[in-house]
Amino acid sequence: MKRLLFSFQGRLNRAPYWYVHLALAVIQFPIFGAWFAIIVYPAMETRDMDTIQDAARTMYLLYILCAPFIWISLAVMVKRCHDRDKTGWFIFIMLVPLIGPIWLLIELGFLRGTTGPNRYGPDPLDT
């Protein structure tokens, strides 16, 4: 599990890629939803600047708490790039407006990895 979630080495097929991202979404959406419902929405209702600033400060705490989720997501995406026989730097394609995220989604989420071993390790479907 530690190698799956925190390592940037090796390859990963599509199923674990989707399972990890689904698990991250299931964990993060309630956290951000609760934060919005409990802190942000009431601050917007009152339109009190101090309350709004307090809500903004709590956002930084959420970013710190979500840092492990970002790390896990990056590790899984890099390993998925390796399965497609691409360098991990390929994930920066998502910075290209409009096309980048769609291209990354198709490459990592829907296309099959290279068959057999490649320069990043053995085929995960063979083991």
Side-chain angles (χ1 to χ4, degrees):
M1 188 61 97
K2 181 179 173 184
R3 189 179 76 71
L4 170 69
L5 299 178
F6 297 103
S7 169
F8 286 80
Q9 304 295 318
R11 295 171 60 178
L12 191 68
N13 62 349
R14 288 174 287 185
Y17 170 80
W18 282 111
Y19 292 145
V20 167
H21 279 95
L22 179 65
L24 290 175
V26 165
I27 293 168
Q28 287 178 327
F29 282 141
I31 291 171
F32 280 100
W35 169 73
F36 186 82
I38 295 169
I39 296 173
V40 176
Y41 187 72
M44 290 170 32
E45 286 282 312
T46 62
R47 296 178 188 225
D48 176 35
M49 212 48 194
D50 290 332
T51 310
I52 292 171
Q53 288 176 346
D54 289 341
R57 283 189 207 101
T58 62
M59 184 175 66
Y60 297 122
L61 176 64
L62 276 179
Y63 285 148
I64 291 169
L65 292 175
C66 289
F69 298 133
I70 295 168
W71 183 272
I72 290 168
S73 181
L74 288 174
V76 170
M77 287 193 301
V78 166
K79 285 188 275 196
R80 186 71 190 116
C81 285
H82 290 172
D83 192 40
R84 298 272 309 135
D85 204 16
K86 297 184 183 318
T87 178
W89 294 104
F90 182 76
I91 64 172
F92 286 109
I93 195 75
M94 77 173 107
L95 298 177
V96 176
L98 298 174
I99 282 290
I102 295 168
W103 187 356
L104 190 67
L105 175 68
I106 291 169
E107 282 277 344
L108 303 185
F110 299 109
L111 298 179
R112 189 181 192 290
T114 55
T115 305
N118 66 16
R119 59 186 166 164
Y120 298 105
D123 190 346
L125 295 176
D126 288 344
T127 57

